[in-house]
Amino acid sequence: EVQLVESGGGLVQAGGSLRLSCAASGFTVADYAIGWFRQVPGKEREQLSCLSDTDPSIRYYADSVKGRFSISSDNAENTLFLQMNSLKPEDTATYYCGAALGCSAMLGLYGMDYWGQGTQVLVSS
């Protein structure tokens, strides 16, 4: 069974940091482009970052998180991470990881295959 399970969300003060994890099972993370999204109720899901499976130098970051968030993976652990620094109240959302066909440095993930169930992040002012 294919699963993506996010963890690491929680409550943090503005300016603080969190590290989200996304543990994959049933498939190999290294064989897919992988990335992170977030969604606030009533709004569209926002793509944040992705990492290419074919070229490790290809990474995408949304303007809203560039310079504050960093994506990485541990292939031995089959896990994806999102390090979030300098958090702002507007970063409050449910965060999802996903695996896809590809990652474009300009457009992000495309050809989605798998989604996680999400982890909530609440940033207080």
Side-chain angles (χ1 to χ4, degrees):
E1 181 186 5
V2 169
Q3 273 194 317
L4 286 168
V5 180
E6 300 94 336
S7 61
L11 174 63
V12 63
Q13 285 191 328
S17 298
L18 282 174
R19 188 191 196 207
L20 304 184
S21 299
C22 172
S25 58
F27 71 102
T28 302
V29 162
D31 293 338
Y32 286 81
I34 48 180
W36 291 92
F37 296 73
R38 68 185 178 190
Q39 190 167 22
V40 175
K43 294 189 176 181
E44 289 189 2
R45 190 168 291 191
E46 177 188 12
Q47 183 159 186
L48 301 178
S49 182
C50 68
L51 181 61
S52 171
D53 57 323
T54 57
D55 184 348
S57 69
I58 296 176
R59 301 187 181 210
Y60 166 84
Y61 290 100
D63 287 343
S64 57
V65 303
K66 201 172 291 183
R68 300 190 297 125
F69 290 12
S70 178
I71 190 171
S72 62
S73 65
D74 184 332
N75 290 338
E77 296 294 326
N78 214 31
T79 299
L80 174 66
F81 302 100
L82 185 68
Q83 178 67 42
M84 307 189 296
N85 299 326
S86 302
L87 283 163
K88 305 174 182 179
E90 52 263 44
D91 293 319
T92 294
T94 300
Y95 284 70
Y96 300 88
C97 62
L101 175 66
C103 168
S104 161
M106 296 298 293
L107 300 175
L109 278 179
Y110 58 89
M112 292 302 300
D113 284 312
Y114 308 122
W115 288 101
Q117 86 291 347
T119 185
Q120 290 196 330
V121 171
L122 177 61
V123 183
S124 63
S125 57

